Each structure stands twice: as C-alpha cells, then as structure tokens.
Amino acid sequence: MNNVEELISEQEILKKVEEIGKKITEDFPNDDITVVSVLKGSFIFTADLVRFIKHPIEIAFIAASSYGASTVSSGELKIRYDIDIPVKDKTIILVEDIVDTGLTISRLKEYLFELGAKDVKICTIFDKPDRREKQVTIDYCGFVIPNEFVVGYGLDYNNKYRNLRNLCKITI
Ligand code: IMP
Ligand code: MG
C-alpha cells in the first residue's frame, strides 16, 4: 500500500482553475482559441478549465511521450494520438497536467508550430521547476510545487489515482 498525503485541496484547485479560466477569457476577448489537451493526465483539468472559459472554443486532444518506455529522456517526441482538427493559423492553448523536465511540452509546442499554428500558449495546473531541463515559458500556471511525485487531479502512478479530487504526494 502506498502512502498518500494531501498537498493541495480540491477547493484550492477549483478556485485556481476558475481564475485561469477567467484570465484566458479576458486575454482572448475576440479571438477564437483552440484548447489542445495533453492526454491522459490533463483530462480532468481540461474539463474543469474549459467550463470557466466563456467563449465558444474548439477543443482537441493529443497524446505524446518524450521518453518512450523508459524514464530517461530520449528527447524524441512520440505522438500516440494526434489532433483531429486543423491547427493552421490558429491560436492554441496547450493544456498540461504538470511540467517537470519541460521536454514534453516544449516539443509539443514546436510540433504545433510545425503544423502551422499562429501562436501557442502553455497552460499547466502544476509546475515542478526543480527538475527542468528545457526552459519553457509557461503562460498560465496553477501551482508551483516541490520536487515530489504527485498523484490526483488527473495525475497517475502506474495508471492509478487519476480520480483523486485533490493533489497528493505519494510515497512509493
Ligand atoms: P516532462 O515535463 O517532459 O518531464 O513530463 C511531464 C509529464 O511527466 C507529465 O505530463 C506527467 O505525465 C509526467 N509527470 C511528471 N511528474 C509527475 C508526477 O509527479 N506525477 C505524475 N506524473 C508526472
Ligand atoms: Mg502528462
């Protein structure tokens, strides 16, 4: 049995998500935006966030991995599920669960530009800057957290714990 301990409560998370949604609503008053959710981890954050954005927006999903099966970064981006709508000339909000080394999100941002996106903003609910390898500008950030392995609010350990409503530190 793993030991799970709360770091951020459900109420704190939802309050922050509402703030980010309002900010995005204000920042893009006239602009059509496309939210691209990075699966699987950001599915819960995306579902909450998009309902706080008060414009009709497009939503698409992408699944990628920059590690392959190992925990050591290869720097290579593997697209496991690709976006199913055109992104050319669009303003994209790339929605992540957590930015750790920064490799995944920076490669995905490059990929969207390669597909012809006009602009790509990065939005993450959690940021773990201590292990950053690739500097990346985070345009919308929920919480900066310490270098702990965390689960809940979409984040998993061995595909479990994604359904926890709060963010927890897990001792493995
Ligand atoms: P990176 O920024 O390329 O290192 O990778 C970020 C991805 O690694 C995230 O999208 C998560 O899927 C995963 N990840 C990083 N830290 C954690 C954690 O503490 N718990 C669960 N998944 C994590
Ligand atoms: Mg992820």
Side-chain angles (χ1 to χ4, degrees):
M1 204 43 199
N2 300 300
N3 183 38
V4 166
E5 186 191 317
E6 179 173 282
L7 285 182
I8 306 175
S9 71
E10 178 186 3
Q11 291 74 14
E12 286 174 274
I13 294 172
L14 276 177
K15 189 166 163 270
K16 187 70 80 173
V17 176
E18 181 171 6
E19 281 170 27
I20 298 172
K22 281 190 177 153
K23 184 84 175 50
I24 291 174
T25 304
E26 288 164 13
D27 288 354
F28 299 94
N30 307 308
D31 209 342
D32 281 343
I33 51 172
T34 302
V35 162
V36 175
S37 172
V38 184
L39 294 173
K40 295 186 241 178
S42 79
F43 79 113
I44 290 178
F45 175 39
T46 303
D48 285 339
L49 177 68
V50 294
R51 288 178 294 169
F52 287 119
I53 299 175
K54 302 297 173 196
H55 306 304
I57 54 164
E58 288 184 330
I59 303 169
F61 297 89
I62 192 166
S65 151
S66 61
Y67 303 119
S70 96
T71 53
V72 181
S73 169
S74 61
E76 187 195 324
L77 183 79
K78 207 174 263 171
I79 304 285
R80 299 179 184 284
Y81 173 79
D82 209 346
I83 303 174
D84 64 352
I85 58 172
V87 298
K88 191 159 166 39
D89 299 327
K90 288 185 182 163
T91 298
I92 308 285
I93 313 267
L94 192 51
V95 176
E96 244 304 20
D97 52 357
I98 188 165
V99 178
D100 185 15
T101 64
L103 289 167
T104 308
I105 206 72
S106 56
R107 296 305 307 275
L108 281 174
K109 185 172 174 174
E110 282 169 15
Y111 176 66
L112 292 170
F113 276 124
E114 284 164 22
L115 293 180
K118 180 170 75 182
D119 197 6
V120 181
K121 304 289 185 200
I122 292 176
C123 174
T124 189
I125 186 67
F126 307 113
D127 177 15
K128 218 161 58 170
D130 289 358
R131 295 190 347 124
R132 197 73 94 248
E133 287 177 33
K134 179 85 184 171
Q135 286 314 314
V136 53
T137 301
I138 299 177
D139 301 282
Y140 303 95
C141 174
F143 302 89
V144 175
I145 63 165
N147 187 14
E148 309 273 8
F149 198 82
V150 289
V151 292
Y153 201 66
L155 289 141
D156 74 304
Y157 169 62
N158 274 353
N159 284 314
K160 292 187 178 172
Y161 299 100
R162 291 192 197 276
N163 55 319
L164 289 178
R165 303 178 74 100
N166 53 359
L167 187 79
C168 297
K169 165 185 165 178
I170 185 165
T171 312
I172 299 155

